[in-house]
């Protein structure tokens, strides 16, 4: 199923991505850098640890993984043919 979001024109998501980003809570320091940088609003802080709020608007930019100095974010690409697509490639 294809999903769109009026906040992000020209973008669509193919369902079936699953939880392709995970957080290693043991490593997470709760710095909230991932929350601040994520354009999709995918993270939240609960009990001083980052959690995935929703990956529905994830654009697979990997910024969260790069910004996390604790190396606590595990990013795997969604399975082939699913996830973020844009009309710009
Ligand atoms: S950037 Fe990394 S260490 Fe900081 S809150 Fe997010 S997952 Fe935790
Ligand atoms: S890959 Fe990009 S859009 Fe997806 S959760 Fe990380 S920072 Fe947010």
């Amino acid at each position: 199923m294809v999903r769109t979001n009026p906040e992000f024109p020209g973008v669509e998501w193919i369902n079936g991505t699953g939880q392709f980003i995970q957080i290693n809570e043991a490593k997470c320091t709760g710095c909230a850098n991932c929350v601040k940088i994520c354009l999709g609003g995918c993270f939240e802080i609960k009990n001083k640890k980052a959690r995935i709020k929703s990956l529905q608007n994830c654009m697979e930019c990997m910024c969260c993984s790069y910004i996390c100095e604790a190396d606590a974010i595990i990013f795997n690409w969604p399975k082939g043919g699913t996830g973020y697509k844009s009309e710009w490639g």
Side-chain angles (χ1 to χ4, degrees):
M1 193 180 103
V2 176
R3 186 172 45 79
T4 58
N5 183 334
E7 285 183 43
F8 302 106
V11 170
E12 62 186 29
W13 289 264
I14 314 294
N15 278 355
T17 52
Q19 203 78 349
F20 55 91
I21 297 175
Q22 290 165 321
I23 298 166
N24 182 334
E25 280 202 5
K27 287 186 172 181
C28 176
T29 62
C31 71
N33 284 344
C34 54
V35 178
K36 292 177 201 160
I37 203 164
C38 179
L39 294 176
C42 299
F43 298 97
E44 62 185 353
I45 299 291
K46 284 268 171 76
N47 299 324
K48 300 182 180 174
K49 297 283 182 180
R51 288 191 187 166
I52 303 285
K53 188 163 63 177
S54 168
L55 292 177
Q56 285 222 331
N57 293 330
C58 176
M59 286 163 266
E60 299 163 25
C61 63
M62 292 186 71
C63 289
C64 52
S65 176
Y66 285 119
I67 202 80
C68 179
E69 294 179 350
D71 200 23
I73 295 181
I74 304 147
F75 181 96
N76 291 295
W77 294 106
K79 292 197 178 7
T82 65
Y84 170 84
K85 312 275 176 209
S86 86
E87 62 186 32
W88 307 283

